Amino acid sequence: MTTTVRTTPVLYLRSRALPATLAALAAIAVLAAWAADWLQGRPQFDHTARVPVLALAPLLAAAAIGTGFLSHTEELDRTAVRRWWPRRLVYLLALTALTAGALALAVPGHPEQFGAPAMVRNVVGATGVTAAAAVVLGARASWLPMTVYGGAVYLAAPRTPGGAAAYWAWPMQPGPEAAAWAVAGTAYVAGAALLALRGAHPGR
């Protein structure tokens, strides 16, 4: 006989190791703020020196969020009375908003170039890709696809923004680039929908 259980939001959050995820995100935000300030303060650099921070910080944050999708209560998940998809969606949206806001504060100024808008876009896109990877590969390996892709784009993206590169090299585009926002937004919507409906692939 199958036994069903009721879960509370607190139990759900504890099963996802939320405190550890929040601690990791806070550390990433502090490190990003320090690195952006240090790079921009170098006499040989201008605001474009923050590009490494805009590329790396969202990858680290998305990895922290993705690994937090790991469930230590798979039996509980399968036997719960209430549907899981609203909780998964709210959890993802809340962490994305919190992370985007914190990292945007790490790169103030120059919104027309590599400032807060570009950081928010990269957080949104990286988190969407990571969410989709959690469904396919599992939470433990969810960081891998976006990290590989982000590293490749960082090395291969042309110096001149716009054009076709705005689609495939969206993490390296300035903030106002509409095509880059479209790709990042699409990735987030698709990843969030997959994660909400399917959940992370059960890890072993």
Side-chain angles (χ1 to χ4, degrees):
M1 182 177 64
T2 302
T3 302
T4 57
V5 296
R6 295 184 180 276
T7 58
T8 65
V10 174
L11 181 59
Y12 177 82
L13 295 176
R14 288 180 61 186
S15 72
R16 266 64 184 177
L18 180 63
T21 301
L22 292 178
L25 292 176
I28 293 167
V30 171
L31 180 61
W34 173 83
D37 182 70
W38 183 83
L39 286 171
Q40 193 171 352
R42 301 301 90 189
Q44 67 270 32
F45 293 130
D46 57 12
H47 62 274
T48 59
R50 299 184 297 185
V51 170
V53 178
L54 287 163
L56 181 59
L59 294 183
L60 294 175
I65 294 174
T67 54
F69 297 142
L70 177 66
S71 174
H72 299 283
T73 58
E74 291 180 16
E75 292 295 331
L76 179 65
D77 294 359
R78 286 195 294 265
T79 58
V81 173
R82 296 181 180 178
R83 294 176 297 175
W84 282 103
W85 75 263
R87 297 186 183 190
R88 294 191 194 109
L89 184 59
V90 170
Y91 182 79
L92 177 63
L93 292 175
L95 282 181
T96 304
L98 178 65
T99 303
L103 288 181
L105 294 176
V107 285
H110 302 291
E112 74 286 356
Q113 291 293 331
F114 297 100
M119 180 67 87
V120 171
R121 180 201 64 218
N122 286 0
V123 169
V124 168
T127 304
V129 174
T130 302
V135 177
V136 177
L137 302 177
R140 293 185 188 277
S142 62
W143 58 273
L144 187 57
M146 188 61 211
T147 300
V148 173
Y149 178 74
V153 165
Y154 183 79
L155 295 175
R159 293 182 177 272
T160 303
Y167 293 95
W168 63 266
W170 56 266
M172 301 298 296
Q173 300 299 306
E177 189 63 51
W181 273 98
V183 175
T186 301
Y188 187 79
V189 171
L194 278 173
L195 183 69
L197 295 175
R198 299 288 300 275
H201 191 279
R204 293 290 183 266

